[in-house]
Amino acid sequence: MEQKKVYKSIFMILAMLVFLLSWCSVAHAEENVLLKEMPIEELGGSFDGEWEKKIKDPNGNYCSKNILEIDASESGYVVYDLDGQYTRFSGKMVIDQPYVSVGIYGDGRELYSWGPLTEQAEAWYFDLDVAGVGKLEILSGGTAMFSLENGMLTKAEERAVPSVYTPLREVAVIDSDDFGFGQWVGVTEDINGKVHRGAQWFDTYGETDSEVDALYNLDMKYTSFSGNLEIYGDDDNGSNTKVEIYLDDQLVFERSTPGEIYELVDVNLDVTNAKTMKIRLVGRDSSLLVLDDSLSPHILGEWETEKEATCESAGKKVQRCTECKAICNTSKIKALGHTPGDWKVEEEATCKAEGKRKKYCTVCKKMCAEEMIPKLEHKEEDEWFEQEAPTCTSEGTRIKRCIYCGETVKTEKIPQTKHEFGKWTTAEGSVWNAPIVKKRTCNVCDAEEVKNIYTWVWVKPAVLVLLFVSVLTGTTIILIRRKGIQTISKNQRKFWRKKKREKRTQQEDVFHGHQ
């Protein structure tokens, strides 16, 4: 019993887990987004935008939230970018007056349409498959307003890649003849009451044949063109109505009918690699509506290298359609440019001449750069070299040379050396006959040096003075001795004192005599 209870408990737990996982999966898969929360990619005509407005449908029911109102009388329309991220689009359509057309399209494909052939108001729910839809269009036409209530989008678990298409109204008209305002955005109805998305409108007027045409720039971007041609022709005067389509000036479609005509013709053309498409209408009081027009673009693959770029020339890459393999886009690959290596010295620079060096591309081995290497500066030796030795008669010369080229880069003079004179010899004069002239001769260059010697000039007069003094002294001594005068200092003083008195007496006598 206990074991059964355990098993039962485990089973209950597992069941609850399965339920929770299932509930989470469903809840995630059914994540909803209100239409009013979606950004609008494009709109036209009259768009009310009062999302919280309260309205009453023809059945007497009221709605007060998530309301989108569009004025069909002005061909109002709105476009959303779903980007393949939703699976369902649901809501309630309310048309409270007759003669309103509504069309809902996904990537140009009709998802739902409502024709105007009714005289009573309507209200109904819709639930549309929008899996993989990129652009969602809600288009209108007629004479009144219509409302879309509680618009809801269901989020997809994984994004699906949407189909790509281009309507003719998005293709540039590069030339036209009386085309005027021939592009109609919105919905239009054919003679059978069927609603179509948009129209390219061509009209001719008058009692004579005339034509109208438009030239579209396809620019080699598309693979196919499809649409419905609504052709109308009058029967006055037996006129003919002719419709022609040209690709790059080559006729690829023609429809010609005499008299009164009204018909719908499907057209599907291969426009691969076509640069232009011309649609032409010829007739009297005739018209052509191109309905549900759609151009299927190439599905572009990755860029492929068709020609490799080199160092000097550009390459080429192409982009092909993954379906038809046609080349859709072509682009140049920029030349790589050389990849320079290191400099290589072709000629070494010297002190006398410039050198040369080059760079070569490491890829193609061609040369992208060449330049001259400046001359080297001389570099002088450390030691002086005596070029010419100095002498006692001339200066010498010494130089420094460049250690690279041996050229003399610096020169200096070496001062003269001194004479190497011999001994002085007397050339003239003597101590008794001054001046004495002496000379000496250089042992190297025989140069002479002469000088006058006055050191002994005083000898001759000195001898004479000494001789005179000696003679005078001797004579005086002799005379003194003869007179008995002693030559002592005391006697000499007395003698000179006496002489002075005698001289003074004589002077006084002379003075008194004059008196």
Side-chain angles (χ1 to χ4, degrees), residues 16-145:
M16 290 177 64
L17 288 173
V18 170
F19 173 77
L20 288 173
L21 290 173
S22 301
W23 181 84
C24 290
S25 300
V26 171
H28 176 73
E30 294 182 352
E31 181 182 350
N32 294 325
V33 178
L34 294 176
L35 188 64
K36 73 174 184 179
E37 295 175 356
M38 293 289 294
I40 296 174
E41 183 176 88
E42 182 182 351
L43 59 88
S46 176
F47 170 59
D48 194 299
E50 296 185 11
W51 292 98
E52 302 302 329
K53 183 177 179 180
K54 183 177 181 180
I55 65 172
K56 179 181 179 181
D57 67 25
N59 300 322
N61 300 315
Y62 284 91
C63 181
S64 61
K65 59 182 179 179
N66 198 15
I67 300 170
L68 171 66
E69 282 199 331
I70 296 178
D71 188 349
S73 66
E74 296 186 12
S75 299
Y77 69 94
V78 62
V79 181
Y80 297 91
D81 183 11
L82 303 190
D83 193 32
Q85 300 188 61
Y86 302 89
T87 58
R88 310 296 302 178
F89 175 44
S90 60
K92 182 181 179 182
M93 195 74 67
V94 178
I95 301 176
D96 56 3
Q97 295 183 37
Y99 304 111
V100 171
S101 300
V102 178
I104 301 177
Y105 300 88
D107 295 328
R109 176 173 56 92
E110 181 185 300
L111 302 178
Y112 184 84
S113 65
W114 173 259
L117 300 182
T118 179
E119 295 185 0
Q120 60 182 8
E122 296 286 347
W124 70 97
Y125 291 94
F126 63 90
D127 187 3
L128 307 177
D129 182 3
V130 293
V133 170
K135 285 187 179 181
L136 179 71
E137 299 173 294
I138 303 174
L139 310 178
S140 70
T143 60
M145 302 283 293

Side-chain angles (χ1 to χ4, degrees), residues 233-511:
D234 201 347
D235 64 349
D236 290 345
N237 302 319
S239 64
N240 291 332
T241 300
K242 182 188 295 185
V243 176
E244 297 173 339
I245 300 178
Y246 295 83
L247 295 178
D248 295 334
D249 296 328
Q250 181 178 355
L251 182 63
V252 294
F253 176 87
E254 182 178 22
R255 188 78 169 185
S256 182
T257 306
E260 184 177 8
I261 180 176
Y262 182 88
E263 62 178 343
L264 287 171
V265 180
D266 292 334
V267 62
N268 197 331
L269 302 176
D270 182 358
V271 297
T272 302
N273 294 329
K275 295 180 180 179
T276 60
M277 181 175 72
K278 177 190 281 189
I279 299 177
R280 180 172 179 256
L281 171 67
V282 180
R284 302 177 193 172
D285 287 330
S286 58
S287 64
L288 167 66
L289 292 181
V290 182
L291 307 170
D292 299 334
D293 50 271
S294 177
L295 284 162
S296 298
H298 290 287
I299 301 175
L300 301 180
E302 299 293 331
W303 284 100
E304 303 173 13
T305 299
E306 191 171 81
K307 178 185 176 184
E308 294 285 351
T310 66
C311 300
E312 296 179 335
S313 61
K316 181 181 177 183
K317 62 180 180 179
V318 297
Q319 201 173 20
R320 298 179 185 273
C321 174
T322 58
E323 300 296 325
C324 67
K325 307 305 178 185
I327 295 176
C328 303
N329 292 312
T330 302
S331 177
K332 284 186 177 181
I333 303 175
K334 188 178 179 181
L336 301 176
H338 292 292
T339 305
D342 296 327
W343 285 107
K344 291 187 178 181
V345 177
E346 301 284 329
E347 297 176 17
E348 294 284 356
T350 66
C351 308
K352 296 182 178 181
E354 294 179 322
K356 185 186 294 184
R357 64 179 185 174
K358 298 179 180 178
K359 276 187 178 182
Y360 293 89
C361 176
T362 58
V363 178
C364 67
K365 310 305 179 186
K366 287 186 178 181
M367 184 182 70
C368 65
E370 179 180 14
E371 67 179 22
M372 303 305 291
I373 304 173
K375 289 182 182 180
L376 298 177
E377 295 289 334
H378 290 295
K379 185 175 182 181
E380 62 184 38
E381 299 170 316
D382 294 330
E383 302 294 332
W384 287 98
F385 172 74
E386 189 176 73
Q387 190 178 44
E388 185 178 354
T391 66
C392 50
T393 58
S394 63
E395 294 177 324
T397 305
R398 66 177 184 174
I399 61 173
K400 282 189 176 183
R401 296 165 296 190
C402 174
I403 63 175
Y404 299 126
C405 65
E407 184 177 329
T408 299
V409 294
K410 188 180 287 187
T411 302
E412 281 188 358
K413 294 292 186 180
I414 304 175
Q416 292 179 212
T417 59
K418 294 181 178 180
H419 290 290
E420 296 180 8
F421 289 110
K423 293 182 178 180
W424 289 100
T425 59
T426 301
E428 299 179 21
S430 64
V431 294
W432 303 106
N433 188 18
I436 300 172
V437 178
K438 287 193 173 187
K439 70 176 182 179
R440 60 181 180 178
T441 305
C442 177
N443 297 327
V444 178
C445 66
D446 295 331
E448 291 184 346
E449 187 177 34
V450 178
K451 68 177 180 177
N452 295 329
I453 305 298
Y454 292 94
T455 307
W456 301 101
V457 171
W458 56 271
V459 174
K460 186 175 180 178
V463 170
L464 293 175
V465 170
L466 288 174
L467 181 61
F468 173 77
V469 170
S470 299
V471 172
L472 180 61
T473 302
T475 302
T476 302
I477 291 172
I478 293 172
L479 291 174
I480 292 173
R481 284 180 177 178
R482 284 181 180 179
K483 293 181 178 183
I485 299 173
Q486 295 180 355
T487 56
I488 60 175
S489 300
K490 186 176 179 181
N491 292 334
Q492 288 178 354
R493 286 196 295 271
K494 288 181 179 181
F495 173 79
W496 291 111
R497 218 178 276 126
K498 183 178 179 181
K499 285 289 185 185
K500 287 182 178 180
R501 283 196 297 268
E502 290 177 353
K503 187 175 182 180
R504 188 179 301 133
T505 300
Q506 291 175 357
Q507 291 175 345
E508 290 176 354
D509 291 340
V510 172
F511 177 75

